[in-house]
Amino acid sequence: MASNSSGSDSSDRQRIAQQRLSVIAGHLQRPVEGNSGILAAECKAQGDKLDVSSERRTVPRRRQEIMKWNGWGYSDSKFLYNKKGQAEFTGKRYRLSGMIIPGLREWMESTFSANLQHKTPAAPILNSSAVQPPTLNEAFLKELKSTGIPFSHDAEDRVFRSHGHCLHEIFALREGKIGRVPDLVVWPNCHNDVVKIVELACKHNVCLIPYGGGTSVSSALECPPEETRSIVSLDTSQMNRILWIDEKNLTAHVEAGIVGQDLERLLNESGYCTGHEPDSMEFSSLGGWVATRASGMKKNIYGNIEDLVVHIKMVTPRGVIEKSCQGPRMSTGPDVHHFIMGSEGTLGVVTEVTMKIRPMPEYQKYGSVVFPNFEMGVACLREVARQRCAPASIRLMDNEQFKFGHALKPQVSSIFTSFLDGLKKFYITKFKGFDPNRLCVATLLFEGDREKVLQHEKQVYDIAAKFGGLAAGEDNGQRGYMLTFVIAYLRDLGMDYYVIGESFETSMPWDRVLDICRNVKARIVRECKDKGVQFPPLSTCRVTQTYDAGACVYFYFAFNYRGLSDPVHVYEQVEHAAREEILANGGSLSHHHGVGKLRKEWMRESISSVGMGMLKSVKDYVDPNNIFGNRNLL
Amino acid sequence: MYSSPPPTPFFNIADITLWTLDPMLKKRDDFEDMLEERRNSSDLRYALKCYTPVLYKGLTPCKVSELKQMVLQSDQLGYVITQVSKEKGVTSDEVTGEAAAILEEMAQRLQLSTVRFFAFTLSKVFKTLFRSICINEEGLQRLQQAIHNHPVVLLPSHRSYMDFLLMSYILYTYDLALPVIAAGMDFMGMKVVGEMLRMSGAFFIRRSFGGDKLYWAVFSEYVKIMLKNGYAPVEFFLEGTRSRTAKSLTPKLGLLNIVMDPFLKGEVFDISLVPVSISYERTLEEALYARELLGVPKPKESTSGLFKARKILSEDYGSIHVYFGQPVSVRSLAESRVNRSQFNLIPRHIPTRPSEEILSFVNDSAYRLVRAQEENMVLKPWVLLAFVLLQKQAAEEKQGTALDELTEQAVWLRDLSRQYGAFLHWPDHIPPSEVVSSSLSLHRGLVRISEGRAVVILSCASYRNQALNVFIRPALLASAIHTAASNRKQEIYNSFSFLRNMFSNEFILCPGATVQDFEEACYLLVKTGTLQINQQEVLITERGHRTLAFLTSVLDPFLQGYQVVCRFLCEQDGLTEKQFIPAVRKFIIKHLLTGRLRYTEVLSSDLQKNALAALIRLGAVQKIKGNNYCFNVFPSEARNRGL
């Protein structure tokens, strides 16, 4: 990903290495896990064939060393208003880092009627006394100790693994409210460690909740409050090696705990990539992708997770499930991989995955197209899909998002650039007659041979022209994709100033795209009004993926909650209504976020009672004692 | 169905949210006379005024010709065209041509110049005919807001040909978007006028096109496209045709189904349905309707006929009240009633028969809307006088009525109807006797009732009918108490339920709402001190007898009418549909002359048809389809059911 992590210049590397050192130092000081190092090393030795040194892994066991406990992402990266009242993005990790964003304040003030005077600061530190003491299963613990697998019942460690990134989860943390959290965290180092843990869990009737990158937005990681057994969070983050690369078949065998950015970076070093880039790829893990049926931005070239996976190894209470060969396609009854993909941690832990890899693309080019209105934009995307010539990524933002993207433009350094921007704006609005309150923009990413990319680009721009689209430059395109990674940070800024919000996604047939976008946005506005929200909400959407038979749409929704006594409840009611609207209009329950506990009330309606029975019977066979008791999905 | 017991315990007055039932608490807007300004300023300047209505926010403006293109190119029509061309073995071009011709015949050609012409002439005409045209301006403000936010459907009541011209006239005057109006094909017969109406926004639909797929597709797509794009408010009459009896007619569902479809299929966020109640102090067609009901055929609409009707211009028709009701959101109607995801699995352009669920939803909505129209109908004192006079006439008090007595009874009825929530326009600042005499003078053509001429009686009845909806539920209850063998609540409910079911072709009684209606009636009669109801029994209070007597006699003409129709049918061994009306009329006249029947109004063909339809519905009469349509009567059955 050219826009962020791959910009890891030498200073970055140095810093990460330093961090790692301090992490290791931290471990050495912790007597609880004193004996863990030795046995873990044994484990590592098995997979030593290709393993690249672990110094450069992003996610340490103690996530708190680099990540926020009550917000998105790295501790060093956040939006804030500086002393001059200008928005600024801190840190050094992203292209936007260290930059002033002059338009953001005005956009926030006008969109949400937010005010810098009205702050809602988060609780500064995690108060360990607010965390319930762990319910430990002593027998389990005793045997676990003897295996030498590292574990912890430190309050911070447990709180970190008790949530994903739903609004209500983060909001509660910011207020210092902590509900049921896992009683213990274990860090297996390899497949065999997982086998041992699952065996012990079965033996001692302990509830296991697998934890990958912690980026869930479906309440999937929440501990069921009704669970009385000891809950053990199985953190796969230390199972993060590429075990082998097979260049003949273009596959790689990878441990499932690896996070997206590490996977891509390590493969890039060998000249390969998977091309799987979900927006959360900095933090989300391979196992998590498999367990939720993830989708990547560049699926048009590389496919979604189900297209990328060749072989899966999963540890279940019944034993290990895997196929006997790596044939590219099989007719051996229903594909058992499809019981695993989307199982959301209810059946077992995915430990190792063989994935397709591709040589790194020779050439990448961003692009963007401005359309006079959203309808034309959608018509263009539909035509691109019909001709099956979608670039690696094509996304269409609606007018509100276009304006939002504009507000996030960093301060330009030269007068010339700002003059050029002014000229562009003049050309589009005055000369071409686009209504600035209706126009919308598509961002594009092309990948492949230089020659072919240019050819492809022309084809797409020609189609766009038929729908009134005007090419609007590489810059706008690139900024659009960069924003994907920082947008999650922005929610934390909003929450500092009474603004809460979230995104949710769906998929639908082509003929319903416009109807769903309109109706869901309108429903959000109406529900906010009905529920007493004092200010008009931001209700916007974008088409993020195209398929032969339909599209994936993201909705973004946020509002200023001043004057509401229970903003999160209001938020949840509105999101609930929006989902009902989606379903009533023929949209799906989820395109790739999954069901978790947040959307499970609609499962029966979505897949029929018989479908539920099928899934239920698989669960009953694989995990009769509900060891994997996160209660997602069913 | 009628004998099924109500859910237990079927009413507990204290539990019912009283304010929803209590008609006294209904809030209604004030009226303004729109003719007043017309009388004080230039009509010409008014007709040429700057007209810039608020439009739908999502509107993409388009021309009439573009609209037709959109219909012809729609997926919906395309699908049907292919289907029809395959079935008939003709090329799809031919079918498309046919569709284009249908559309040509149907389409409106709204033109501001024509509207201005109408604005000018109608100003002149209205000022001569009417004393005032009163509008609730707040309703218009709500309408304006509704037009801005969502596609709007206007649903006026239909009592006169005037209705839709009047509607457009009002909307033009108040700078609101002009509607496109679904009109019956019969207007097209009037050559010049038909085209004029077209240019003022009317589009014409055939009265019947049952099996014609292509026609249906063109028509429904045309309406939907105008609605969805917010091209203009769509206006049609829920009752389908003018009510000759001034009672609301059972709503027709076809068009309502079409206009709700875009919402149900997610093509628009919401649709606002705006019931409009138009009440005439005197309808232009007064005598015409009565003759029609007595079997004098309706004159064909023709331009020359219109000119002959000029003499109407010299008469005084009092005032008109137009009440724009609260917009009803289809979305909120459908909420937790309709599962919209039922449309997810079939492409939306393929025509499908609406499911039972949808049909019953549309039906219930239609009844609700008609009731909303009824509730906001303004009643004039004359309507109450018609009750009194007709009841006296039937009681054969031939020597006329003293004004004092009439006034006393009218005032009593005024108070009663107000308690029942009638929207009564009784000038309280004028002594009642003057109110009565001025009403009488406006309707002097009808007052000399003692002559007992059928036309006059039917005209009179049609005025009385305007307020029937106010009394219908209490009247059903009163009659039920009257006929029930005991004062046990359950027994009275059963008899209420039977009567209600019997008369559901006659009055607006929403199917399936028996319990609610019973509760409503009980509530009103208890509240006004007519009844006392305890756990088991219904008791009549001392002062309740007068009210009950009045209410029973409200329903009496209808009861007797249905009885006489039954008696007639029992004496037949089958007859064709065509023969029915003349034969039953003869039979009734015989009974009237011999004095066995008191109510002349039973001669109304409307009542006779309704009675027959009810008997067929209840299975007492069977319709046999054969070479000649015969009715097979099961007399025993009819008798069993208390007739």
Side-chain angles (χ1 to χ4, degrees):
Chain A
M1 188 70 228
S3 59
N4 64 93
S5 50
S6 67
S8 55
D9 43 300
S10 56
S11 72
D12 248 9
R13 252 177 245 168
Q14 225 171 357
R15 194 175 35 73
I16 294 170
Q18 270 168 2
Q19 240 163 23
R20 183 65 195 160
L21 280 176
S22 71
V23 170
I24 293 165
H27 291 172
L28 292 174
Q29 284 156 6
R30 294 184 64 80
V32 184
E33 304 147 33
N35 58 352
S36 65
I38 312 150
L39 283 147
E42 176 191 278
C43 209
K44 274 194 191 228
Q46 304 169 342
D48 216 21
K49 295 158 213 162
L50 193 119
D51 185 27
V52 191
S53 83
S54 63
E55 249 69 27
R56 294 184 38 218
R57 294 303 145 74
T58 306
V59 188
R61 229 187 277 166
R62 287 178 58 76
R63 301 175 78 84
Q64 47 272 49
E65 281 157 5
I66 59 162
M67 279 148 90
K68 296 192 190 84
W69 69 279
N70 60 359
W72 179 261
Y74 300 106
S75 308
D76 55 19
S77 301
K78 62 189 246 182
F79 283 97
L80 50 78
Y81 286 108
N82 61 23
K83 290 199 180 87
K84 287 188 211 154
Q86 291 170 311
E88 189 184 317
F89 192 58
T90 64
K92 292 186 184 136
R93 293 175 189 270
Y94 301 91
R95 266 172 49 126
L96 207 59
S97 297
M99 290 204 195
I100 301 285
I101 304 118
L104 185 56
R105 175 173 173 178
E106 201 205 317
W107 178 83
M108 234 174 103
E109 286 174 342
S110 63
T111 308
F112 299 109
S113 313
N115 189 323
L116 293 200
Q117 309 307 318
H118 301 290
K119 273 205 86 171
T120 41
I125 47 159
L126 174 57
N127 178 9
S128 302
S129 64
V131 183
Q132 270 185 6
T135 321
L136 296 173
N137 183 319
E138 293 300 339
F140 172 80
L141 203 59
K142 194 165 160 242
E143 285 204 51
L144 181 66
K145 263 182 196 158
S146 72
T147 62
I149 299 167
F151 63 87
S152 158
H153 46 73
D154 167 68
E156 267 191 15
D157 287 333
R158 288 160 55 217
V159 170
F160 257 81
R161 283 152 190 89
S162 67
H163 66 86
H165 283 272
C166 287
L167 175 84
H168 67 269
E169 295 172 314
I170 299 301
F171 196 91
L173 289 176
R174 286 173 59 95
E175 301 214 305
K177 285 183 194 150
I178 290 154
R180 177 84 155 101
V181 304
D183 301 299
L184 195 73
V185 182
V186 292
W187 287 274
N189 259 307
C190 60
H191 171 78
N192 287 340
D193 283 357
V194 176
V195 173
K196 285 179 211 158
I197 295 167
V198 173
E199 269 170 15
L200 290 181
C202 292
K203 186 170 164 196
H204 300 289
N205 194 23
V206 161
C207 173
L208 286 180
I209 298 186
Y211 180 91
T215 57
S216 147
V217 282
S218 59
S219 300
L221 288 168
E222 266 175 25
C223 298
E226 66 271 34
E227 181 59 69
T228 52
R229 297 173 292 183
S230 178
I231 298 179
V232 174
S233 175
L234 192 153
D235 183 332
T236 58
S237 64
Q238 304 311 303
M239 298 169 36
N240 53 18
R241 286 153 299 183
I242 295 174
L243 298 178
W244 46 254
I245 292 177
D246 178 348
E247 292 178 275
K248 290 206 179 63
N249 294 308
L250 287 180
T251 53
H253 192 66
V254 189
E255 287 185 313
I258 195 166
V259 295
Q261 57 168 315
D262 287 351
L263 178 62
E264 284 313 282
R265 196 182 61 239
L266 294 174
L267 286 174
N268 288 355
E269 283 171 11
S270 315
Y272 294 103
C273 66
T274 63
H276 185 68
E277 296 184 8
D279 290 357
S280 61
M281 70 172 289
E282 290 171 278
F283 307 108
S284 58
S285 68
L286 171 55
W289 300 336
V290 171
T292 55
R293 293 181 64 88
S295 169
M297 181 182 92
K298 299 195 291 199
K299 72 94 194 153
N300 292 335
I301 294 183
Y302 301 96
N304 287 318
I305 196 72
E306 68 272 20
D307 311 309
L308 285 164
V309 157
V310 177
H311 183 266
I312 305 173
K313 205 190 259 187
M314 178 165 79
V315 182
T316 76
R318 281 269 172 197
V320 176
I321 174 173
E322 64 178 320
K323 291 185 187 174
S324 67
C325 71
Q326 311 211 51
R329 181 183 188 276
M330 305 176 197
S331 174
T332 47
D335 190 342
V336 291
H337 281 172
H338 285 285
F339 288 127
I340 299 170
M341 285 188 285
S343 61
E344 304 194 358
T346 58
L347 299 178
V349 193
V350 177
T351 54
E352 288 171 17
V353 177
T354 308
M355 256 183 122
K356 295 182 200 168
I357 55 171
R358 299 291 305 165
M360 279 172 71
E362 174 193 312
Y363 188 63
Q364 267 196 337
K365 193 172 183 192
Y366 290 97
S368 64
V369 182
V370 179
F371 292 98
N373 55 49
F374 192 64
E375 289 77 7
M376 294 290 240
V378 171
C380 172
L381 261 61
R382 205 281 160 264
E383 185 56 31
V384 166
R386 195 196 311 275
Q387 296 192 21
R388 291 198 169 167
C389 64
S393 168
I394 178 165
R395 289 176 171 179
L396 179 74
M397 301 184 228
D398 70 359
N399 182 262
E400 288 83 3
Q401 269 192 44
F402 164 75
K403 288 178 180 163
F404 171 52
H406 227 69
L408 281 173
K409 257 190 177 170
Q411 201 161 34
V412 285
S413 40
S414 77
I415 302 172
F416 181 68
T417 337
S418 78
F419 170 73
L420 220 65
D421 280 349
L423 211 63
K424 264 190 242 161
K425 193 174 166 190
F426 178 81
Y427 176 73
I428 288 174
T429 58
K430 296 292 183 306
F431 189 73
K432 281 289 178 179
F434 284 18
D435 178 351
N437 290 314
R438 296 197 68 197
L439 62 81
C440 74
V441 63
T443 56
L444 311 167
L445 171 61
F446 298 90
E447 245 184 49
D449 301 348
R450 198 186 147 82
E451 199 89 329
K452 278 187 190 151
V453 163
L454 296 178
Q455 215 181 332
H456 193 178
E457 192 187 19
K458 186 177 179 309
Q459 188 187 5
V460 172
Y461 282 112
D462 284 350
I463 295 173
K466 283 188 200 139
F467 296 90
L470 294 173
E474 282 183 68
D475 237 34
N476 283 317
Q478 187 166 9
R479 204 177 50 251
Y481 287 101
M482 182 251 320
L483 288 180
T484 328
F485 294 94
V486 299
I487 202 164
Y489 287 98
L490 208 59
R491 183 171 76 179
D492 294 335
L493 178 73
M495 294 214 294
D496 285 339
Y497 297 94
Y498 280 97
V499 175
I500 52 175
E502 191 151 60
S503 61
F504 46 90
E505 41 73 58
T506 182
S507 58
M508 71 287 282
W510 277 114
D511 71 316
R512 291 177 186 263
V513 172
L514 285 175
D515 290 333
I516 292 191
C517 290
R518 177 191 52 242
N519 290 353
V520 173
K521 288 200 281 183
R523 179 76 182 263
I524 288 171
V525 173
R526 176 181 279 196
E527 293 288 333
C528 279
K529 205 173 156 198
D530 290 353
K531 302 287 180 297
V533 175
Q534 308 281 308
F535 308 93
L538 173 72
S539 172
T540 135
C541 70
R542 67 177 180 206
V543 183
T544 61
Q545 288 293 4
T546 63
Y547 291 87
D548 287 350
C552 167
V553 171
Y554 252 83
F555 292 94
Y556 293 81
F557 145 54
F559 61 86
N560 181 340
Y561 67 84
R562 271 174 60 208
L564 296 181
S565 59
D566 191 352
V568 171
H569 182 61
V570 170
Y571 168 81
E572 284 172 344
Q573 284 178 309
V574 177
E575 193 192 318
H576 189 273
R579 183 59 63 181
E580 298 256 282
E581 191 65 30
I582 288 173
L583 296 175
N585 286 274
S588 66
L589 190 51
S590 171
H591 171 261
H592 61 273
H593 282 173
V595 175
K597 289 180 271 291
L598 192 62
R599 286 176 275 275
K600 106 191 185 166
E601 65 180 286
W602 293 289
M603 266 299 270
R604 188 171 298 275
E605 163 187 346
S606 291
I607 63 166
S608 84
S609 290
V610 178
M612 283 291 274
M614 285 180 172
L615 296 186
K616 188 88 192 356
S617 64
V618 170
K619 166 81 179 170
D620 288 346
Y621 172 76
V622 173
D623 183 16
N625 298 318
N626 196 28
I627 297 301
F628 287 89
N630 61 18
R631 307 198 190 210
N632 290 337
L633 210 58
L634 294 175
Chain B
M1 190 166 107
Y2 53 86
S3 60
S4 69
T8 54
F10 54 87
F11 62 95
N12 183 351
I13 296 298
D15 287 349
I16 303 167
T17 40
L18 291 182
W19 63 272
T20 55
L21 278 184
D22 196 336
M24 292 294 279
L25 298 175
K26 250 172 232 150
K27 274 198 111 159
R28 289 182 178 117
D29 306 335
D30 294 332
F31 284 105
E32 298 287 333
D33 178 12
M34 68 181 282
L35 279 189
E36 201 173 295
E37 204 192 322
R38 291 279 46 73
R39 293 192 207 278
N40 298 325
S41 63
S42 153
D43 286 335
L44 192 61
R45 199 178 308 139
Y46 156 76
L48 296 175
K49 73 172 183 154
C50 171
Y51 169 73
T52 47
V54 168
L55 300 171
Y56 174 49
K57 64 180 174 196
L59 173 73
T60 15
C62 67
K63 293 196 209 90
V64 168
S65 56
E66 289 169 335
L67 212 56
K68 287 184 195 165
Q69 275 312 304
M70 283 161 83
V71 175
L72 291 176
Q73 285 162 7
S74 69
D75 296 341
Q76 282 76 354
L77 189 55
Y79 182 86
V80 175
I81 286 174
T82 321
Q83 227 185 2
V84 169
S85 82
K86 269 185 203 152
E87 278 169 21
K88 291 192 181 164
V90 289
T91 64
S92 65
D93 282 354
E94 278 175 71
V95 185
T96 311
E98 215 178 302
I102 293 173
L103 192 57
E104 204 53 40
E105 174 196 85
M106 183 183 308
Q108 52 82 20
R109 281 199 301 277
L110 188 58
Q111 249 181 16
L112 196 55
S113 55
T114 315
V115 174
R116 290 188 193 282
F117 167 79
F118 269 114
F120 180 76
T121 40
L122 285 178
S123 292
K124 299 285 181 212
V125 174
F126 286 161
K127 279 190 283 187
T128 351
L129 286 176
F130 302 108
R131 292 182 196 170
S132 60
I133 298 178
C134 298
I135 318 286
N136 65 326
E137 290 184 347
E138 280 160 73
L140 288 168
Q141 279 163 18
R142 288 193 297 257
L143 177 61
Q144 188 183 50
Q145 196 59 45
I147 289 174
H148 178 69
N149 289 336
H150 302 292
V152 164
V153 179
L154 289 166
L155 300 168
S157 59
H158 203 10
R159 301 289 175 270
S160 166
Y161 276 141
M162 294 277 294
D163 291 327
F164 77 82
L165 286 175
L166 181 64
M167 284 290 289
S168 297
Y169 180 79
I170 295 168
L171 297 178
Y172 172 79
T173 307
Y174 285 91
D175 226 15
L176 288 160
L178 287 166
V180 289
I181 308 126
M185 204 63 123
D186 14 2
F187 277 110
M188 285 239 308
M190 311 154 83
K191 282 198 189 65
V192 182
V193 176
E195 284 314 296
M196 294 274 290
L197 294 177
R198 210 191 266 284
M199 287 188 275
S200 60
F203 61 94
F204 296 102
I205 39 180
R206 296 179 192 161
R207 281 262 175 238
S208 58
F209 45 90
D212 193 340
K213 252 192 244 177
L214 188 65
Y215 191 88
W216 175 261
V218 173
F219 162 59
S220 62
E221 203 43 33
Y222 182 61
V223 175
K224 281 185 211 169
I225 282 184
M226 288 193 292
L227 188 70
K228 280 192 296 199
N229 294 359
Y231 175 84
V234 172
E235 177 181 316
F236 66 90
F237 300 105
L238 264 177
E239 298 162 278
T241 179
R242 290 169 301 154
S243 165
R244 268 67 165 172
T245 59
K247 276 183 296 157
S248 295
L249 303 177
T250 311
K252 303 280 178 294
L253 305 182
L255 255 166
L256 190 61
N257 212 338
I258 290 174
V259 298
M260 283 181 152
D261 195 62
F263 166 74
L264 295 173
K265 292 193 175 154
E267 293 168 327
V268 293
F269 180 69
D270 201 354
I271 292 168
S272 297
L273 307 173
V274 182
V276 183
S277 317
I278 308 177
S279 20
Y280 295 90
E281 192 165 6
R282 254 187 91 186
T283 26
L284 301 177
E285 293 99 327
E286 183 182 81
L288 215 60
Y289 287 157
R291 290 205 181 88
E292 221 179 284
L293 291 172
L294 289 168
V296 186
K298 153 182 165 189
K300 209 163 185 266
E301 285 83 355
S302 69
T303 310
S304 59
L306 191 76
F307 276 99
K308 279 180 209 141
R310 264 173 327 177
K311 72 169 182 357
I312 287 174
L313 285 177
S314 58
E315 288 195 44
D316 178 359
Y317 285 89
S319 53
I320 304 176
H321 285 83
V322 184
Y323 194 97
F324 287 82
Q326 201 71 39
V328 178
S329 138
V330 178
R331 176 173 278 270
S332 47
L333 283 177
E335 180 135 38
S336 69
R337 274 256 358 216
V338 178
N339 177 9
R340 284 183 284 151
S341 60
Q342 63 184 287
F343 302 106
N344 287 353
L345 297 178
I346 300 174
R348 289 173 295 176
H349 66 270
I350 298 178
T352 44
R353 217 167 259 289
S355 64
E356 279 303 311
E357 185 194 4
I358 299 293
L359 283 178
S360 97
F361 165 67
V362 174
N363 190 43
D364 288 356
S365 306
Y367 273 89
R368 247 175 99 159
L369 290 160
V370 173
R371 271 199 84 179
Q373 284 175 356
E374 284 183 337
E375 272 166 12
N376 292 324
M377 285 280 198
V378 168
L379 302 177
K380 285 292 186 174
W382 167 247
V383 172
L384 301 184
L385 291 174
F387 270 96
V388 178
L389 293 172
L390 279 173
Q391 290 191 359
K392 288 215 169 298
Q393 193 271 336
E396 307 195 28
E397 296 175 16
K398 296 237 175 196
Q399 57 278 51
T401 312
L403 191 60
D404 289 352
E405 197 193 330
L406 193 60
T407 308
E408 188 276 330
Q409 294 187 0
V411 168
W412 179 81
L413 196 51
R414 174 194 72 186
D415 296 341
L416 186 69
S417 61
R418 276 187 178 155
Q419 284 178 312
Y420 289 178
F423 195 2
L424 191 61
H425 249 232
W426 184 290
D428 284 310
H429 54 280
I430 299 172
S433 60
E434 268 176 52
V435 175
V436 171
S437 47
S438 84
S439 291
L440 292 177
S441 80
L442 182 68
H443 296 276
R444 59 184 161 271
L446 301 176
V447 178
R448 279 173 301 137
I449 275 186
S450 50
E451 288 173 26
R453 282 183 46 219
V455 172
V456 173
I457 298 233
L458 283 183
S459 299
C460 233
S462 80
Y463 286 102
R464 176 209 58 198
N465 287 349
Q466 289 180 17
L468 269 182
N469 69 295
V470 176
F471 296 110
I472 184 63
R473 286 164 190 82
L476 284 169
L477 180 58
S479 304
I481 292 170
H482 194 71
T483 48
S486 76
N487 55 4
R488 280 190 47 242
K489 201 156 63 178
Q490 181 64 45
E491 201 147 337
I492 290 169
Y493 174 82
N494 290 344
S495 120
F496 176 89
S497 172
F498 169 74
L499 285 171
R500 186 187 175 283
N501 193 24
M502 187 77 219
F503 286 121
S504 63
N505 292 61
E506 195 73 45
F507 310 108
I508 297 299
L509 297 164
C510 185
T514 311
V515 177
Q516 290 96 303
D517 282 348
F518 186 66
E519 280 171 356
E520 194 178 322
C522 288
Y523 173 73
L524 286 175
L525 288 184
V526 170
K527 191 194 76 165
T528 53
T530 310
L531 297 179
Q532 280 175 346
I533 299 178
N534 58 32
Q535 283 301 321
Q536 292 300 323
E537 285 179 326
V538 176
L539 302 167
I540 303 165
T541 62
E542 191 70 33
R543 63 197 177 101
H545 287 285
R546 182 177 183 183
T547 313
L548 278 189
F550 165 75
L551 289 173
T552 325
S553 54
V554 165
L555 210 58
D556 214 33
F558 297 95
L559 260 174
Q560 291 213 10
Y562 276 47
Q563 274 167 348
V564 85
V565 171
C566 278
R567 215 170 299 139
F568 165 74
L569 287 169
C570 290
E571 290 175 16
Q572 309 293 318
D573 332 310
L575 77 169
T576 66
E577 200 163 11
K578 253 200 184 129
Q579 295 166 340
F580 171 70
I581 293 287
V584 79
R585 185 177 291 134
K586 228 166 156 186
F587 183 81
I588 290 170
I589 290 174
K590 204 171 72 195
H591 276 68
L592 279 170
L593 291 177
T594 54
R596 267 182 286 172
L597 187 63
R598 282 184 297 155
Y599 296 104
T600 317
E601 60 175 292
V602 172
L603 277 170
S604 159
S605 60
D606 180 66
L607 182 142
Q608 294 150 9
K609 282 179 202 157
N610 287 339
L612 182 62
L615 291 170
I616 292 172
R617 179 168 48 82
L618 295 175
V621 174
Q622 203 181 23
K623 198 170 174 180
I624 299 166
K625 296 218 172 175
N627 288 341
N628 54 343
Y629 293 86
C630 286
F631 298 107
N632 240 358
V633 190
F634 304 108
S636 59
E637 187 130 356
R639 272 189 213 109
N640 287 346
R641 300 208 168 160
L643 287 167

